[in-house]
Amino acid sequence: MVGSSADGDPPADGSADRAGRSQGRSRRRNTARGSGAAAAPVPDTRGEGGSPPPRTDEEWTSQARSILLRQLALGPRSRHQLLQKLAEREVPPAIATALLDRFEEVQLIDDAEFARMWVRTRTAAKALSRYSLRRELADKGIEPDLAEEALQQVTDEDEHLQARDVVRRKLRSSADLSDRAVRDKEVRRLVGVLARKGYNPGAAFSIVKEVLADTGTPD
């Protein structure tokens, strides 16, 4: 046959040499892929037992400062509220105290002003009695003397007029107050409204009777 020898010698055109070289290159590439250099190991920065390494004081301070600034951006906060927030984030007490002291020095935290603001806004929005306001300020961690100073913004007369206004707004115009049973039920309901705002029952009852008298409702 043309192009081949009778005893099986390879073709004279060199195709066998080229095929051999191609196979050799393929084997070398496969070997290189299979035995490539291992990836460099990632340094283990974990602490004992696989836990993250402890934070430095500087790192804690930076995190705590960010927490405080975010909280204050949402609105005024008392020192006690901010301390609770730092405790929730497990900021070390010594670092939390030092940072809160610093915020007070630059007047970013001012419990006296916070208390005054709280009394003004809660009185305007909710018509709360001084009793309820005092309790809320205590829940915010405001010292009693600062709370009493803030509560001086509301006088006895202010509180009385405020309670009368609440009763007038809550009085049901559809109620037939000429009916004794209906009137007594309405009185109890209105006394309950004032009681939930912190007015003592005796004062609340007197204020409700005053308002009903102003409307011409018979006693």
Side-chain angles (χ1 to χ4, degrees):
M1 182 181 296
V2 177
S4 62
S5 61
D7 59 0
D9 289 336
D13 60 3
S15 59
D17 291 340
R18 288 195 297 272
R21 287 194 297 271
S22 177
Q23 291 174 358
R25 286 194 298 271
S26 177
R27 284 195 297 271
R28 287 193 295 272
R29 284 196 297 270
N30 291 336
T31 302
R33 284 196 295 269
S35 60
V42 177
D44 188 356
T45 58
R46 295 173 299 174
E48 184 178 352
S51 60
R55 295 177 184 171
T56 64
D57 286 354
E58 290 77 12
E59 289 172 331
W60 275 118
T61 299
S62 177
Q63 180 183 351
R65 184 182 293 108
S66 296
I67 293 170
L68 294 179
L69 291 174
R70 283 196 299 270
Q71 287 295 306
L72 292 171
L74 298 174
R77 298 285 189 274
S78 69
R79 177 178 175 125
H80 177 72
Q81 287 176 293
L82 294 170
L83 180 60
Q84 285 184 316
K85 185 61 63 174
L86 294 179
E88 290 173 7
R89 301 295 293 274
E90 300 182 348
V91 175
I95 291 175
T97 297
L99 198 54
L100 290 170
D101 288 345
R102 177 56 182 163
F103 271 53
E104 283 187 331
E105 288 176 11
V106 298
Q107 297 184 333
L108 289 174
I109 301 174
D110 186 339
D111 277 1
E113 178 55 32
F114 173 87
R116 290 190 290 268
M117 176 278 303
W118 188 265
V119 169
R120 290 193 300 268
T121 56
R122 296 292 283 172
T123 299
K126 297 293 185 179
L128 298 179
S129 70
R130 285 173 293 183
Y131 173 82
S132 287
L133 292 169
R134 185 178 292 109
R135 186 176 55 194
E136 287 187 346
L137 291 172
D139 290 341
K140 304 298 180 185
I142 301 300
E143 294 294 329
D145 58 333
L146 296 180
E148 293 305 318
E149 179 184 339
L151 288 168
Q152 290 177 10
Q153 298 173 105
V154 182
T155 66
D156 290 343
E157 183 179 2
D158 293 334
E159 196 172 54
H160 187 83
L161 293 174
Q162 176 179 272
R164 285 175 58 91
D165 184 61
V166 169
V167 173
R168 282 194 296 268
R169 288 188 286 106
K170 296 293 184 179
L171 180 63
R172 291 172 178 166
S173 58
S174 60
D176 181 10
L177 299 179
S178 62
D179 184 315
R180 182 61 179 263
V182 173
R183 184 173 67 254
D184 288 349
K185 182 178 180 180
E186 188 70 1
V187 167
R188 289 194 298 271
R189 186 182 70 82
L190 292 170
V191 168
V193 169
L194 291 181
R196 287 190 291 275
K197 292 182 178 295
Y199 294 88
N200 72 69
F205 183 79
S206 296
I207 291 168
V208 171
K209 298 289 283 184
E210 286 178 17
V211 174
L212 292 183
D214 290 344
T215 65
T217 301
D219 192 354

